[in-house]
Amino acid sequence: MPTTLIHNITTLVTNDQSLGKGALGLLQDAAVVLDGTRVAWVGPTADAPAADEAYDAEGRAAIPGFVDSHSHLLFAGDRTQEFNARMEGRPYEAGGIRTTVAATRAATDEALEANLTRYLAEALRQGTTTFETKSGYGLTTEDEARALRVAGRHTDEVTFLGAHIVSPDYADDPAAYVDLVTGEMLEACAPHARWIDVFCEKGAFDGDQARTILTAGKAKGLHPRVHANQLGHGPGVQLAVELDAASADHCTHLTDADVDALAHSETVATLLPGAEFSTRAQWPDARRLLDAGATVALSTDCNPGSSFTSSMPFCVALAVRDMGMTPDEAVWAATAGGAAALRRTDVGHLRPGARADLALLDAPSHVHLAYRPGVPLVSAVWREGTRAV
């Protein structure tokens, strides 16, 4: 691949404090050289080395590609009626997932993959260059395994979520379903996944069930993530920290002990403001987590039931407006924070050796992501060194 010089960048977010100012490592009048799939050089435009090709950013800002570390893109159908009902006052409940389970089971592999690629393309246009996605809408051994196979053709960050809810087929015998998830289903799914997740919540799985499932997954080489403390206080966050989960996701209802546990662990608190927006629920308190020293990530939670958005810029704007984050903190959480939630060191920043993932904004500063909510600011995207948008 030829080398590419992207120059005349007004504000460059590197997320490396050794390269620039503040937590975002900001550089003014900057340039980046891409060599193949990696970043080769970062610095002032005036000092930029020659490259095979040049791209004039024309005074735009540049950020690392967004890292969306929590999504549910293997599904069929939609839940418009459920959304309408919520807007009329019905509360969100985990049981709505069953509607998507029925539609997903009925869909062909081709239909599921077409749906997945549609939303991936949508996310890419908005600057997302790394994403995680989960199974969880099949809830049979065959349907969970096929979802993971399809996902694996598009990302390395694949999560087995057979423990999304108790399958409708086992409504009268949850213990038998846990046995299935930790036995036959796990055997079939583990070869196709990197992560294992569980919805630890009233209406889904309690703490003991979640521990059994996650421990079984770890024994098969899968690393834990946890849907934790979304709908109310519960054991999810403490369990995530106990099992060294890469992330505890949602983190809406936290005790002081939960916050302290996250702040003194490697487990990232992944906040999903699209879910609170779509369900009219209480916002997570990002300020409380940040002030305690916890690592915070932002993600879309893109799914057809509770957060049907693929837009990381939208989530950045919500986090700044309603969750107590500064624009700098929100952009870091949507890039480097997401990378930490996936335990990745090659994405989420722009320093030499990083994967060449970069988004140009049609604005002079990254702050415009929150300052101009709803405006399509991403004007160009490079993913693994190739201009994809």
Side-chain angles (χ1 to χ4, degrees), residues 67-289:
V67 180
D68 191 346
S69 60
H70 183 126
S71 74
H72 301 254
L73 300 180
L74 274 300
F75 70 88
D78 77 11
R79 283 151 66 181
T80 304
Q81 291 181 343
E82 179 186 325
F83 178 78
N84 274 337
R86 277 204 307 276
M87 296 305 101
E88 293 171 356
R90 191 178 79 190
Y92 173 69
E93 297 177 351
I97 293 166
R98 295 182 184 89
T99 303
T100 303
V101 169
T104 302
R105 288 180 178 182
T108 64
D109 290 10
E110 292 75 17
L112 290 178
E113 187 155 19
N115 212 36
L116 172 66
T117 56
R118 171 188 173 189
Y119 294 117
L120 292 182
E122 186 178 272
L124 182 64
R125 291 195 299 271
Q126 298 172 90
T128 298
T129 52
T130 302
F131 73 96
E132 176 269 2
T133 200
K134 311 175 192 296
S135 64
Y137 290 124
L139 309 186
T140 68
T141 298
E142 179 181 354
D143 285 307
E144 289 294 296
R146 71 168 179 145
L148 297 173
R149 287 195 300 269
V150 170
R153 293 197 281 267
H154 300 273
T155 181
D156 294 330
E157 304 298 344
V158 179
T159 301
F160 168 46
L161 183 58
H164 202 176
I165 59 169
V166 174
S167 169
D169 307 322
Y170 289 81
D172 297 327
D173 194 355
Y177 185 65
V178 171
D179 288 343
L180 176 67
V181 170
T182 57
E184 173 191 300
M185 189 183 289
L186 178 60
E187 289 285 343
C189 291
H192 308 291
R194 180 185 179 198
W195 307 97
I196 185 167
D197 199 345
V198 61
F199 191 9
C200 184
E201 201 74 59
K202 183 178 180 180
F205 297 89
D206 64 25
D208 290 340
Q209 292 169 326
R211 180 181 287 102
T212 296
I213 292 163
L214 295 172
T215 301
K218 288 186 73 171
K220 284 292 183 181
L222 303 182
H223 204 87
R225 331 182 61 77
V226 184
H227 281 63
N229 300 54
Q230 176 188 6
L231 305 180
H233 294 287
V237 164
Q238 295 291 339
L239 181 62
V241 171
E242 173 193 327
L243 296 179
D244 186 36
S247 64
D249 298 28
H250 288 289
C251 293
T252 307
H253 300 273
L254 301 179
T255 64
D256 289 344
D258 293 332
V259 174
D260 186 67
L262 288 165
H264 292 89
S265 75
E266 298 298 316
T267 299
V268 174
T270 299
L271 309 183
L272 310 170
E276 278 70 38
F277 177 87
S278 181
T279 61
R280 287 180 173 166
Q282 173 184 322
W283 296 102
D285 189 347
R287 182 82 269 136
R288 183 183 178 201
L289 287 160

